[in-house]
Amino acid sequence: MTTPMELFVEEMQKLFQPDEVYVMDGSQEEAERLADIAQKSEVDGRVVLRKLNDKEYPNSYYHRSNSNDVARTEHLTFVCTPSETEAGPNNNWMDPKEAKAKMTGFFKGAMKGRTMYVIPFVMGTPKSKYAKNCIQITDSIYVALSMRVMSRVGKQAIERIGGSSDFFRGIHSIGDVNPDRRFIMHFPQENLVMSFGSGYGGNALLGKKCYSLRIASYLGYKEGWLAEHMIIVGVQDPNGKVTYFLGAFPSACGKTNLALLEPVLKGYKVWTLGDDIAWINVGEDGRLYAINPEAGFFGVAPGTGLKTNPVMVKTLKNDKFFPTIFTNTAVDNSNNTPWWEGVSDEVPSDMTDWQGQKYDKDSSKAAAHPNSRFTVSIYNCPTLSPECDNPKGVPISGIIFGGRRKDTIPLVYEAKDWNSGVFTASIIGSETTAASSGQVGNVRRDPMAMLPFCGYNMGEYFQHWLNIGKKVQKLPKIFMVNWFRKDENGKFMWPGFKDNSRIIKWMIDRIEGKVGAKEAEIGLFPEENAIDLSGLDIKKETMEKLLKVDKEDWKKEVVMIEEFYAKFGNKMPVDLRNHLAELKKKLGI
Ligand code: OXD
Ligand code: MN
């Protein structure tokens, strides 16, 4: 009997008409073979992979994409639910029939002369009951190899699926990399994504944003769990006790640096479990437990260096898991290593920039694209938590939300309770970054850092968060942070990076009930001297400014929040509207 999985592959073969079909087994031998083929193949006029200096960066390859295909394209990303309301004002919507007709038109015969890769993979450790089975089809060998790093590819997925029809279907073709024929279509009700015309991670590695966030957030809504744009870390204190946190920040706001943090405070250590996505379930004991569905990091290269993220530098130089891929960085020709702004203070004299041109050292242009990336296995990470593959996940005591704001949002505050925390997360605004195409630096509302990733109406999503709170017996504390406050001269006021551990220590003290807090209009604030600033040269006035609620700034903020809330009409939960009304009263509006 033909299984649904086999039928799907047959159907795809008929549609795409490839010269060959290759089903991945996930082995190291296979990955080495594919990397060899990729070094001899050209796509879109460029060789797919180039081997880098094996001594400096073992198992590493360089990939340069089309310069029109370097970031997520939110304007070309659609959620295709039966009605527009189900997708919500937070998503672009297209009728599912129309979307399928459009995509099928692009897909027809698109793999003539190419190989169709069938990638069976599991999101989450395959032993976990929370893990999900998936199949992606692609004609990009770069995507196939990247999927091996980012997910658990291979036989285990085929075994888990067996004769069942319950698996995610991800259909991808890089097409001719033409932005006019580029779409990423999600069909949450059908557990299906169709993506055409882009090889960029967030658009093409369909297990990541498309499945583990957009589709999974919808599954979580239906099944009673949460799929979130969050890091997972365990923070060990000097007595050896580990407290697990989740952290949600918009793209390119330091999530990976926080996930691999080396604390400045003596005796503290961060254990890494995930740097981008968390699936959160209510465990048998009534607490929230999180697993990381991914198996790798797809991180922003610029700004990653020994000062900012020494653990990632070690991860990238580790040879445990094959392969590591650098995309759209520059290359230092003197030793064939990848280079990006922030990896060293010195700029090498003989470099090729991300577009393949000789780099002019005196130019003001960056050598690496600001959204250039590395794709590396989580198993290469020296601070990987021993709990990383625990099928139950880890119990969460604190949730940190954040955004990138030069003003208004204080360095840290705590929400009074779960519902106030949901409100706090629902009003996040953040300056846009290079992770998505479009203008950089504009403040936009990005609730829970999920605006580009929530696969259904965000009003319903907020209600789902409130409902989860009712099911949990021991709720985590919720905190808001902003590492990015600037002074009148445009200088960052807080050192950030390693020093963020000082703020996390305060959170642990709050979770353990060791310190009190002062109440202000927007939440609970550290008492005087409660943040450990030992060894840090920061003025008292600076700390005061960092922790101040500026009423005039907040009055402007409330206008933006009200506009955002209004878009959701009666889908916006009453509880959150009441919180907003209460905040206005406190601010004297
Ligand atoms: C990412 C993103 O790549 O958020 O993680 O864009
Ligand atoms: Mn992300």
Side-chain angles (χ1 to χ4, degrees), residues 209-269:
K209 303 298 186 183
C210 298
Y211 180 68
S212 290
L213 286 175
R214 296 195 193 95
I215 299 286
S217 62
Y218 174 79
L219 294 178
Y221 170 54
K222 291 282 153 190
E223 298 169 2
W225 53 283
L226 293 165
E228 296 296 328
H229 191 205
M230 289 177 172
I231 68 164
I232 314 171
V233 288
V235 184
Q236 186 174 318
D237 72 10
N239 300 320
K241 182 166 182 214
V242 180
T243 306
Y244 291 97
F245 284 91
L246 296 169
F249 296 80
S251 310
C253 286
K255 291 222 312 289
T256 306
N257 292 340
L258 190 61
L260 278 71
L261 189 76
E262 247 180 12
V264 270
L265 296 176
K266 261 221 175 99
Y268 283 82
K269 179 173 170 66

Side-chain angles (χ1 to χ4, degrees), residues 305-487:
L306 280 175
K307 279 189 214 129
T308 57
N309 195 340
V311 181
M312 186 53 90
V313 173
K314 284 186 205 137
T315 304
L316 294 172
K317 297 197 167 204
N318 197 341
D319 65 355
K320 257 195 189 158
F321 193 93
F322 184 95
T324 296
I325 303 174
F326 294 87
T327 303
N328 294 337
T329 61
V331 175
D332 178 352
N333 296 320
S334 71
N335 58 2
N336 192 29
T337 54
W339 192 89
W340 54 86
E341 281 66 24
V343 71
S344 64
D345 288 338
E346 268 160 62
V347 180
S349 52
D350 177 14
M351 272 208 298
T352 303
D353 73 9
W354 71 274
Q355 286 176 295
Q357 305 299 318
K358 187 167 171 46
Y359 182 63
D360 173 5
K361 237 181 126 163
D362 301 324
S363 98
S364 57
K365 277 202 285 182
H369 187 275
N371 193 39
S372 53
R373 298 272 178 153
F374 47 75
T375 311
V376 64
S377 169
I378 199 166
Y379 296 102
N380 277 17
C381 177
T383 57
L384 184 66
S385 163
E387 295 298 310
C388 157
D389 281 328
N390 186 334
K392 285 191 192 155
V394 290
I396 301 303
S397 301
I399 306 182
I400 308 168
F401 286 101
R404 178 186 289 270
R405 292 295 296 271
K406 59 181 188 313
D407 51 35
T408 313
I409 310 301
L411 175 62
V412 63
Y413 61 99
E414 179 190 319
K416 263 180 22 198
D417 52 30
W418 180 264
N419 284 19
S420 309
V422 175
F423 171 67
T424 304
S426 81
I427 64 171
I428 294 176
S430 191
E431 291 154 21
T432 48
T433 68
S436 171
S437 62
Q439 253 208 324
V440 167
N442 291 342
V443 175
R444 72 167 181 186
R445 296 294 109 195
D446 193 353
M448 280 83 169
M450 278 290 277
L451 182 77
F453 308 122
C454 178
Y456 61 105
N457 189 310
M458 214 159 201
E460 314 247 25
Y461 165 80
F462 293 141
Q463 188 59 53
H464 183 46
W465 263 84
L466 295 168
N467 294 348
I468 290 276
K470 289 185 213 133
K471 293 208 297 193
V472 178
Q473 263 132 49
K474 194 168 168 219
L475 283 163
K477 275 193 181 295
I478 296 182
F479 302 93
M480 180 73 204
V481 299
N482 176 21
W483 316 132
F484 301 96
R485 261 317 261 260
K486 287 187 177 166
D487 64 15

Side-chain angles (χ1 to χ4, degrees), residues 482-501:
N482 176 21
W483 316 132
F484 301 96
R485 261 317 261 260
K486 287 187 177 166
D487 64 15
E488 315 71 59
N489 303 317
K491 278 217 157 128
F492 287 113
M493 291 161 80
W494 175 249
F497 304 108
K498 292 179 176 195
D499 287 290
N500 293 338
S501 57

